[in-house]
Amino acid sequence: GAGAHRDLHSFPTRRSSAPLFEQDLSDFVTNLFSSRCSAIPTSSEWLNASLGGGWKPGGVYAVNASSAVEATDFCAWCAEFAAQRRFPTIFVSRAISKDGFAECAMARHCGVDVKELSEYRKNGFCDGDATMLERIVEGGERLSRRIAPYLVMIEVHSEMTASDVRRVVRTAQDRVGVDRDLPTLLILDQLLVQSSDKGKPSHTVRERVHFDENSLVEGVKRQMQDSLVAIIAAFSRIETLGEAKFEKEEVNTALFHSDLRGSHAADCTLALQSKCVKVRSTTLERNFNQFDLAREWYKRSHPRFRGHIDRLFDKAEGNHPLDEVTSSYARISLFGKGSRTLANPVIIYERPYHRFRTLNMEPIGLEKHDVAFDKNSPEL
């Protein structure tokens, strides 16, 4: 009886220091991902295939978009997915406040128009119906439980230095309490790039994409080179491709290659495009959305598989009918060193919700026919 009594009290009690199963499970999942992930994935399998697995530690990725809002939304989408997978994620931005970031995140996860959400906040949710309030509460709980513990958002000013960023990364890694061997995602959103000649913010797209030796991104890359950190640097206002012409039933090359140049610091440049492009042939003129442009790029790049590519795109388009008022196809043109186009993944951009949705198109669809999406791409 006495032995049994001692054994009973040897079990952990509520006051004991034994961790809860919640902590055990968290450690297990963290180790599970860290042991098998050499890259930080995105929610788009198509984009992961194009990047060779995702954002790779030590790599620098320049993201350019037609607007600052679009670039920020894309980076936030990538940040939230990485944090949800328990990768420490740091979002450094001068383009959006913490409140603005939280509001857009709520809109993304609740499926509520951000303008409608702002109205509810202004009125204290007095006019919100029960269903709407329930969606907001559920979305907030998901954010708090799955994403917030691994995501740090920092508001910065233009004078922030590479050393400041390095300290932010170290502090964030310590704050989330993860192993330093776990890859970290660092996003520099809409930061000014200083010109080494004039010491003033660059204005042209070419200058903004072309990092010089004294730029913040270049400095951060040098300071973080010994760390497992993947860096995404976001800029806005890519050059419009303007009108393009069909020549001999093939799309002009200029339609698919923008004038962006890969920077010294960036291993890969991602040009995010969501606007329709006007295409002129000898007899007619029509607008092409980014989904159609991607289709033509793959057909042109792999002429032997034009039929298979058409079937692949037709199926994806049928599965994703869009509301033209709120949603559009967005194409991500990936450029390697020397501006060589590597791939053109497509996602769906829903502006009112500040979110992107993946396109259910099998990224290995062409690989089954001995055509890899990133067959000739360099290691990033």
Side-chain angles (χ1 to χ4, degrees):
H5 182 74
R6 284 194 300 272
D7 290 341
L8 178 63
H9 285 276
S10 67
F11 284 99
T13 63
R14 183 172 297 181
R15 293 185 178 182
S16 73
S17 59
L20 298 174
F21 177 65
E22 178 184 17
Q23 183 60 45
D24 295 334
L25 184 61
S26 177
D27 293 342
F28 174 81
V29 173
T30 298
N31 294 330
L32 178 67
F33 278 103
S34 63
S35 62
R36 69 174 185 171
C37 288
S38 58
I40 302 171
T42 75
S43 63
S44 168
E45 289 301 320
W46 192 350
L47 182 56
N48 289 338
S50 302
L51 292 171
W55 315 112
K56 295 184 178 181
V60 177
Y61 304 85
V63 174
N64 295 272
S66 56
S67 71
V69 172
E70 194 167 305
T72 298
D73 287 347
F74 177 79
C75 288
W77 179 62
C78 295
E80 290 169 6
F81 186 83
Q84 189 172 356
R85 273 21 181 209
R86 300 172 182 261
F87 292 98
T89 305
I90 301 93
F91 194 98
V92 181
S93 179
R94 71 174 181 86
I96 190 171
S97 66
K98 288 186 176 181
D99 282 348
F101 184 89
E103 186 173 67
C104 290
M106 286 288 288
R108 274 189 291 274
H109 290 268
C110 301
V112 178
D113 189 317
V114 72
K115 293 181 180 178
E116 196 173 353
L117 185 59
S118 295
E119 277 300 311
Y120 283 136
R121 288 181 62 199
K122 187 186 302 182
N123 298 328
F125 292 95
C126 296
D127 299 329
D129 59 74
T131 302
M132 179 69 69
L133 292 177
E134 184 177 351
R135 288 168 62 187
I136 292 173
V137 170
E138 290 178 353
E141 289 178 347
R142 286 195 299 271
L143 277 169
S144 299
R145 185 173 63 254
R146 301 178 183 177
I147 294 174
Y150 297 91
L151 176 62
V152 176
M153 196 278 172
I154 306 292
E155 295 180 44
V156 298
H157 48 76
S158 58
E159 289 78 22
M160 191 173 197
T161 66
S163 296
D164 294 332
V165 175
R166 187 174 185 273
R167 283 193 292 272
V168 167
V169 172
R170 295 305 187 200
T171 301
Q173 290 175 327
D174 292 338
R175 188 181 304 175
V176 299
V178 299
D179 191 332
R180 288 286 176 83
D181 292 334
L182 191 66
T184 298
L185 181 63
L186 170 63
I187 295 174
L188 305 176
D189 177 46
Q190 302 299 319
L191 299 184
L192 291 173
V193 173
Q194 301 294 331
S195 170
S196 58
D197 296 329
K198 299 180 181 180
K200 298 179 180 179
S202 302
H203 296 290
T204 67
V205 173
R206 190 182 299 278
E207 289 172 336
R208 293 182 71 183
V209 176
H210 188 83
F211 305 119
D212 59 59
E213 295 177 346
N214 299 319
S215 74
L216 177 63
V217 178
E218 190 74 63
V220 171
K221 181 182 181 180
R222 286 197 300 270
Q223 295 222 8
M224 304 302 298
Q225 62 184 352
D226 296 329
S227 305
L228 294 175
V229 177
I231 302 172
I232 300 176
F235 304 88
S236 61
R237 300 196 182 284
I238 60 174
E239 296 178 0
T240 57
L241 300 181
E243 294 184 355
K245 297 181 180 180
F246 279 103
E247 295 181 0
K248 297 181 180 179
E249 299 183 354
E250 291 187 1
V251 180
N252 192 322
T253 305
L255 183 63
F256 304 104
H257 295 272
S258 81
D259 197 27
L260 295 173
R261 294 291 180 265
S263 69
H264 291 313
D267 298 285
C268 183
T269 300
L270 292 80
L272 179 63
Q273 305 162 80
S274 60
K275 296 180 179 179
C276 290
V277 175
K278 187 179 294 183
V279 178
R280 179 180 297 173
S281 68
T282 55
T283 58
L284 55 86
E285 181 179 275
R286 58 171 292 198
N287 286 331
F288 269 48
N289 63 26
Q290 297 298 328
F291 183 85
D292 294 329
L293 296 179
R295 179 203 298 259
E296 294 302 323
W297 184 86
Y298 282 107
K299 288 167 63 176
R300 175 178 166 275
S301 300
H302 309 291
R304 292 172 51 207
F305 305 101
R306 293 173 67 93
H308 172 68
I309 292 169
D310 270 332
R311 288 190 295 273
L312 200 64
F313 275 77
D314 286 342
K315 181 179 179 181
E317 189 173 30
N319 291 335
H320 295 275
L322 301 185
D323 176 1
E324 296 298 332
V325 177
T326 62
S327 303
S328 63
Y329 289 112
R331 180 169 55 106
I332 309 172
S333 296
L334 277 76
F335 299 95
K337 296 291 185 181
S339 297
R340 184 166 57 87
T341 308
L342 305 179
N344 275 289
V346 181
I347 50 181
I348 296 171
Y349 183 36
E350 298 177 316
R351 291 179 180 82
Y353 312 112
H354 290 265
R355 73 184 179 191
F356 292 86
R357 290 193 292 116
T358 58
L359 200 64
N360 291 336
M361 179 177 289
E362 191 177 14
I364 61 171
L366 293 179
E367 291 179 356
K368 290 180 178 178
H369 294 75
D370 298 320
V371 179
F373 272 55
D374 55 351
K375 182 176 181 181
N376 298 315
S377 62
E379 288 295 324
L380 301 180

